[in-house]
Amino acid sequence: MLPRCREVQVRAGTEADLPALTELYNHYVRETPVTFDTEPFSPERRRPWLLSHPQDGPHRLLVAQETTEGAITSQEGAIASHAAHARTATAEAAGTAETAGTAGTAGTAGTALLGYATSGPLRPKAAYATSVEVSVYCAPRAVGRGIGTLLYQALFDALADEAAHRAYAGITQPNEASARLHARFGFRHLGTYGEVGHKFGRYWDVAWYEKRLG
């Protein structure tokens, strides 16, 4: 049974989080069209992705972890005051439309990983350097608790001090929860790529959204 009172901390992701991050992402690879990856990753194969997100600069990796009340004071590496009490009754939509039913992944010792958000390169060519592509993934057990909102708030606060001009997000359709989350943070719909991906024996559309930064 989950503790009655829990604390949610948002901090920079570290290599110690790699197994839990990989497990969480592999859920979306195996079960959903949210990502167009089709083969699960091992932590070792996922390590270059993690290392491409340093703790400063425009390309960030932030994780939300859950601890019992009071344990948060022993955690190192918190990025700011983005810690909040979270209870099961939280009614806010999370970042991705995903079914519940699997356990949360283990983060650092004594914690549960609830989700993560990233900003990364939009395209490899140099002129795109001031644009980032962002994404947020929530553990199935954390959907509906506002974890996506908490992660995005921390991410965009961090990007406010960086040389980032635009943020973009691609959302596999349909995904109303993700569309609402991005609208809440000022994203506007630019257009939709029709049947741009093929997974689970069918084609999927991807809607693209843009947010002004700075």
Side-chain angles (χ1 to χ4, degrees):
M1 179 177 291
L2 293 173
R4 272 196 334 175
C5 185
R6 299 182 295 275
E7 187 115 1
V8 177
Q9 178 193 32
V10 177
R11 59 172 176 78
T14 70
E15 195 150 358
D17 300 307
L18 184 58
L21 287 166
T22 304
E23 181 183 347
L24 194 162
Y25 185 68
N26 281 343
H27 164 76
Y28 286 92
V29 172
R30 294 187 184 101
E31 305 295 335
T32 82
V34 167
T35 172
F36 281 179
D37 278 320
T38 59
E39 294 295 330
F41 285 79
S42 66
E44 189 61 34
R45 283 186 58 220
R46 196 69 169 153
R47 180 171 278 106
W49 165 83
L50 183 143
L51 296 178
S52 71
H53 296 88
Q55 293 192 17
D56 56 12
H59 301 155
R60 301 291 187 101
L61 166 62
L62 303 182
V63 302
Q65 67 176 27
E66 181 178 66
T67 65
T68 55
E69 188 172 15
I72 199 168
T73 57
S74 67
Q75 298 297 325
E76 297 181 353
I79 62 166
S81 58
H82 295 286
H85 292 293
R87 290 175 172 82
T88 307
T90 303
E92 196 172 358
T96 51
E98 180 54 39
T99 56
T102 57
T105 53
T108 53
T111 69
L113 189 71
L114 300 178
Y116 69 90
T118 62
S119 58
L122 177 68
R123 297 287 187 273
K125 295 180 180 178
Y128 286 108
T130 57
S131 295
V132 295
E133 183 175 350
V134 298
S135 62
V136 59
Y137 289 87
C138 295
R141 68 187 286 271
V143 169
R145 291 179 51 190
I147 301 301
T149 297
L150 193 66
L151 282 162
Y152 258 1
Q153 186 63 61
L155 179 64
F156 292 124
D157 285 352
L159 291 178
D161 296 325
E162 303 295 341
H165 185 58
R166 292 285 190 275
Y168 296 89
I171 304 174
T172 306
Q173 299 298 290
N175 193 333
E176 289 298 324
S178 189
R180 288 194 301 269
L181 175 71
H182 287 84
R184 191 178 307 134
F185 280 93
F187 282 81
R188 66 187 184 95
H189 180 222
L190 297 177
T192 300
Y193 291 174
E195 298 189 350
V196 68
H198 190 269
K199 187 175 181 180
F200 302 141
R202 58 160 288 187
Y203 290 99
W204 300 91
D205 299 344
V206 174
W208 282 93
Y209 289 77
E210 178 189 72
K211 173 181 171 66
R212 293 173 179 264
L213 301 175

